[in-house]
Amino acid sequence: MTGSTDGKSGMTARDIFNGAFRQPSPQPAVIDLGSQPAQAGKFTITGVSRIRPSFLSTLLQPTFSATTVKQLADEAREAAGKLQALGIAKQVSVELDKGDGINVHFRCQDGSRFAVRTGVDVGGDEGTANVVGRLNNIWGGGESFEANYARGTKTAAAFRGVLAVPLAADPQRCFEVSASQATTDQRPYTGHDEVRRSLGALIRKQAGPVQHEVAYALAWREIAGLGHKASPSLRALAGHSVKSGITYTCTYDDRDSLTVPTQGALIKSVAEVAGLGGSVQLAKAQVELQSNRPLAPGYVLSVGAQVGALWSLDGQRVPLADRFFVGGAHSVRGFEYRGIGPRDKADSLGGDVFYAAGLSLLTPLPRVEALRGHLWANAGQCALLLNQRKANEFMRFLSSPSASIGFGLVYRHSMVRAELSWCIPIAATSSDRLKAGLQFGLGFQFL
């Protein structure tokens, strides 16, 4: 029997005997717990000293509306993240356990109620030192109040207070009210001081890389402190103006860095209408574009452009405080700050229309990761055309930009960008203020 063979199949008797008693190996059962029906039961939270019941109810509404285990867990983690983003808790651990439904428990580390910090801000050809105090979670719903006092190389004194309130328990949507006052010395670019006092309110919504903002501001501006060398044009613009207006800002920004991006794009548009009371009636629009593309490891090509225009709605002269200014290390390199555009003697008068464009190539440098080589070309122009009824000069304005080229170094830091450039102006008007040779820039946004 042991050696016999089935002639048809070629199997031995032993094979047939063993096959009769061989059992198929059991297959493991796969259960998708995430798709199992579920409903939130009880919710508890520990570790936070202040949280408003109405806020908590709004925060947890998506969690208690979940219908599956996975959806419930995701919504609970989302709610925990919002508590951290709003400063109510520093850390939140989420625990789920089976009970009458699925019980949810948040174990939190309480957030700081107040903070004070000092720092330095740079930009607009100015450095400022500031002291900031902040109160967090004022009424148990993630509200905050921040007060900022600053003094700088041009800012004699500046104060700003902002009360921020999240909407629908969402850190991506908020309502803010603010009050500010600042006195700045615009010398040596133009011979005057500028005082601004303002009250404002805004609503902001963030959705991924897109941010929408609608703001109202009531501002009292004063052009004062004119020196004895002030030009007749500047003297005609001096004095008080009150502006009451609404501004809408839409921003798309998916860049990987705000200071030295290596990829991504920025699209920003700002539209403003003033004339809801006050002495200023105008419409203003501005667009900013930037694209960054890696060419090879360490090589990044950046293209940027800015354009803006404003119109007087009552036929009056547009105040100096509302005009556009072009030129400087952050704008068109190779020119002084506010060095491009209309000028009377030493005073920059700004314009009602402008454009600026830039092309940059960042290159790697050996052994220093934070330092990059920088080749660039910039062009731009600023003029008083629209409100002066000089439409016949518009084509000349477009076709005759002030321009420069250059090279230098860029230092990349997580908080700021520093540039040292050798500038070569290649086109300019008779009123432009050139900055040939070395030019240093420190700030966040560059053309």
Side-chain angles (χ1 to χ4, degrees):
M1 174 178 170
T2 303
S4 64
T5 304
D6 185 345
K8 294 182 180 180
S9 62
M11 298 177 62
T12 65
R14 183 184 297 275
D15 294 332
I16 297 173
F17 180 80
N18 291 336
F21 290 94
R22 184 179 298 123
Q23 299 295 325
S25 52
Q27 297 296 321
V30 178
I31 302 176
D32 185 5
L33 292 177
S35 63
Q36 294 298 304
Q39 187 174 6
K42 295 180 180 180
F43 172 81
T44 55
I45 182 170
T46 57
V48 293
S49 59
R50 182 187 295 259
I51 191 163
R52 196 168 64 247
S54 60
F55 168 85
L56 198 58
S57 176
T58 302
L59 178 74
L60 296 173
Q61 193 276 329
T63 303
F64 279 86
S65 299
T67 57
T68 66
V69 174
K70 181 179 185 305
Q71 185 181 4
L72 191 150
D74 289 344
E75 294 295 349
R77 283 193 293 266
E78 179 75 14
K82 290 179 179 180
L83 288 178
Q84 292 179 264
L86 292 171
I88 297 175
K90 290 181 181 178
Q91 293 182 349
V92 182
S93 62
V94 181
E95 299 177 1
L96 305 178
D97 60 73
K98 184 68 175 175
D100 185 12
I102 295 182
N103 298 327
V104 182
H105 181 63
F106 284 0
R107 296 187 184 275
C108 307
Q109 180 182 352
D110 203 7
S112 300
R113 291 297 309 280
F114 62 89
V116 178
R117 70 177 188 273
T118 60
V120 176
D121 292 332
V122 289
D125 204 47
E126 179 189 20
T128 59
N130 60 69
V131 179
V132 181
R134 182 183 176 92
L135 295 175
N136 294 315
N137 197 25
I138 300 172
W139 300 299
E143 307 85 2
S144 66
F145 176 76
E146 184 172 285
N148 183 315
Y149 178 78
R151 297 181 68 93
T153 54
K154 293 192 303 179
T155 301
F159 170 81
R160 186 168 189 261
V162 180
L163 175 66
V165 179
L167 300 177
D170 187 353
Q172 302 296 317
R173 293 186 289 170
C174 73
F175 171 74
E176 294 183 1
V177 292
S178 63
S180 65
Q181 176 174 316
T183 302
T184 57
D185 182 357
Q186 298 295 342
R187 299 172 183 86
Y189 315 108
T190 184
H192 72 275
D193 296 334
E194 183 175 334
V195 182
R196 290 175 179 252
R197 305 173 182 90
S198 67
L199 298 172
L202 65 83
I203 295 177
R204 181 185 300 114
K205 179 182 179 181
Q206 184 84 33
V210 180
Q211 177 179 281
H212 300 275
E213 181 179 294
V214 178
Y216 168 79
L218 175 63
W220 173 23
R221 297 86 53 86
E222 181 184 3
I223 303 299
L226 274 64
H228 67 279
K229 295 183 179 180
S231 65
S233 297
L234 181 59
R235 293 184 182 277
L237 293 167
H240 300 267
S241 64
V242 177
K243 184 172 73 170
S244 172
I246 295 177
T247 303
Y248 169 67
T249 304
C250 180
T251 305
Y252 173 90
D253 190 354
D254 67 350
R255 297 173 297 174
D256 58 353
S257 169
L258 296 179
T259 55
V260 188
T262 61
Q263 60 183 4
L266 168 69
I267 304 173
K268 182 177 181 180
S269 62
V270 182
E272 178 185 4
V273 176
L276 307 174
S279 61
V280 178
Q281 297 185 33
L282 60 80
K284 189 175 183 179
Q286 189 171 349
V287 176
E288 180 180 359
L289 307 172
Q290 186 185 102
S291 177
N292 306 278
R293 181 182 298 272
L295 301 180
Y299 291 85
V300 179
L301 180 66
S302 297
V303 180
Q306 301 170 2
V307 61
L310 63 89
W311 299 265
S312 172
L313 300 180
D314 59 0
Q316 301 298 313
R317 181 187 290 112
V318 175
L320 190 67
D322 295 304
R323 296 182 181 182
F324 300 110
F325 294 90
V326 177
H330 303 85
S331 178
V332 179
R333 302 172 181 87
F335 295 84
E336 290 186 357
Y337 177 70
R338 297 189 172 187
I340 296 176
R343 184 177 300 276
D344 188 351
K345 297 182 180 179
D347 299 325
S348 175
L349 301 178
D352 55 25
V353 61
F354 90 99
Y355 64 89
L359 178 68
S360 297
L361 177 65
L362 294 177
T363 66
L365 294 176
R367 299 183 181 180
V368 185
E369 178 64 25
L371 199 62
R372 301 290 183 91
H374 187 206
L375 303 174
W376 53 266
N378 290 166
Q381 193 54 268
C382 179
L384 284 166
L385 293 180
L386 301 181
N387 297 294
Q388 312 295 320
R389 300 189 184 278
K390 296 181 178 179
N392 57 326
E393 298 184 12
F394 192 73
M395 291 306 298
R396 186 169 65 86
F397 160 76
L398 291 176
S399 60
S400 303
S402 299
S404 61
I405 58 174
F407 59 91
L409 298 172
V410 171
Y411 177 74
R412 181 181 60 184
H413 188 272
S414 59
M415 299 295 293
V416 73
R417 167 174 173 155
E419 287 190 3
L420 182 63
S421 299
W422 185 265
C423 306
I424 307 171
I426 57 175
T429 66
S430 58
S431 63
D432 290 345
R433 291 289 187 88
L434 278 61
K435 184 67 174 178
L438 285 176
Q439 187 174 40
F440 177 73
L442 186 68
F444 304 101
Q445 295 287 348
F446 288 76
L447 182 62

